[in-house]
Amino acid sequence: MTGKVNCMEILFLSISMVCTAVLISCGTAAEKKLEEETAVTVRTEVLVRSSMHTYIETDGSVEAENSVKVYPDIAGRITESLTDLGSSVKKGDILAYVDPSTPGTKYELSRVTAPIAGSILSVPLPAGSAVTQQTAVTTIGNLSSLRIKSFIPERFVAQLKTGLPADVTLEAYPGITFKAAVRRISPVVDELSRTKEIILAFTVPDNRVNSGMFADVKLFLQTYADTLSVPDTALVVRNGRTVVYTAEPDAKASEHEVTTGISVDGRTQIVSGLKEGAKVIIEGQSTLLNGSMIQDIGSTGVEKK
């Protein structure tokens, strides 16, 4: 009888252990499923070093490097114009004739000649135009060397220096960028416009660029090389602190207080608080806390090995 009881007890204990194991297994699976359901969906970006550039955007006009305005030697009325816009001329070529005669008088026609060789850059005054010795008949310049004249607001003057690079775009060639650099900076600030004139030279001459074209100029002021940056959206303010969350191997979020630097085009420089290679959470971070469970649905950048 005792032997039978012991067997029954052993059988009962075995069944109990199996049931307990099953319950534990079920409980673990349920907990895991709950964790997956409560995990915050995020997207990440691998933190890598790159260069950041501060810049200003302005406009300018393309003009000949060397150009002069042509004036008549005497007042009168133009009787004949011998050139057109874009015409090539040699030094001494006759550009127009001016009749200095007045009612009741008759004088010999005065010639207007080219003081330099080059191309006609402005539309010559037509026949019949009244001129004085202060009236420019046309402008001559050398089209083999073009430049851009632009004006920079006074608040950026301290950052100006020769050699600063610029990207130039022209309305005639959308989507094409022409490289240029600052060649000369005016020593004075215009009192009325509160701007300073700068002259930029094209890095590589291009025959597609014509004098008189309107230019959009993106002038790069400072370069921060080999620096870390994150999208502005990755920054979260917590109790007066600026923090960034990273995705850790255990599928949890880790909070990092950071020191930030410049912000350019939707990205902010990270001065301290993060290391290269970290997986920064750039979407879904607004509801996170340190240690929150996360589910990373995608990452950009190259993960540091």
Side-chain angles (χ1 to χ4, degrees), residues 2 4 25 31 79 96 102 114 185-186 218 241:
T2 301
K4 291 182 179 180
S25 177
E31 290 175 359
T79 61
T102 57
I185 303 171
S186 170
K218 187 175 186 179
R241 302 177 304 130

Side-chain angles (χ1 to χ4, degrees), residues 73-220:
D73 294 328
I74 194 169
R77 192 174 297 277
I78 294 178
T79 61
E80 187 178 8
S81 180
L82 304 177
T83 59
D84 297 309
L85 181 66
S87 298
S88 295
V89 297
K90 299 186 298 294
K91 182 178 180 179
D93 282 354
I94 299 174
L95 307 180
Y97 287 99
V98 175
D99 183 2
S101 302
T102 57
T105 65
K106 184 66 175 179
Y107 293 97
E108 184 179 350
L109 296 180
S110 174
R111 296 182 299 178
V112 180
T113 59
I116 63 171
S119 299
I120 302 298
L121 302 182
S122 64
V123 178
L125 292 180
S129 300
V131 296
T132 69
Q133 291 170 291
Q134 289 75 45
T135 305
V137 174
T138 189
T139 302
I140 300 175
N142 182 5
L143 294 180
S144 63
S145 180
L146 298 176
R147 66 182 189 178
I148 302 167
K149 180 187 292 185
S150 188
F151 297 88
I152 304 301
E154 184 178 7
R155 64 182 179 276
F156 298 110
V157 164
Q159 301 179 64
L160 291 178
K161 60 182 179 181
T162 56
L164 287 178
D167 285 347
V168 178
T169 55
L170 305 171
E171 186 175 351
Y173 303 103
I176 299 176
T177 299
F178 300 87
K179 298 294 183 180
V182 176
R183 174 180 290 179
R184 190 167 70 248
I185 303 171
S186 170
V188 298
V189 172
D190 183 79
E191 292 183 359
L192 296 178
S193 65
R194 311 312 305 179
T195 60
K196 177 169 280 198
E197 180 186 282
I198 65 170
I199 300 297
L200 302 101
F202 288 98
T203 304
V204 179
D206 194 311
N207 58 16
R208 292 176 294 181
V209 181
N210 300 147
S211 178
M213 283 184 168
F214 179 84
D216 285 314
V217 179
K218 187 175 186 179
L219 180 64
F220 297 99

Side-chain angles (χ1 to χ4, degrees), residues 16-38:
S16 296
M17 292 175 65
V18 171
C19 291
T20 301
V22 171
L23 290 174
I24 291 174
S25 177
C26 291
T28 302
E31 290 175 359
K32 183 177 181 180
K33 184 177 180 180
L34 180 61
E35 288 178 353
E36 291 177 350
E37 290 176 350
T38 57

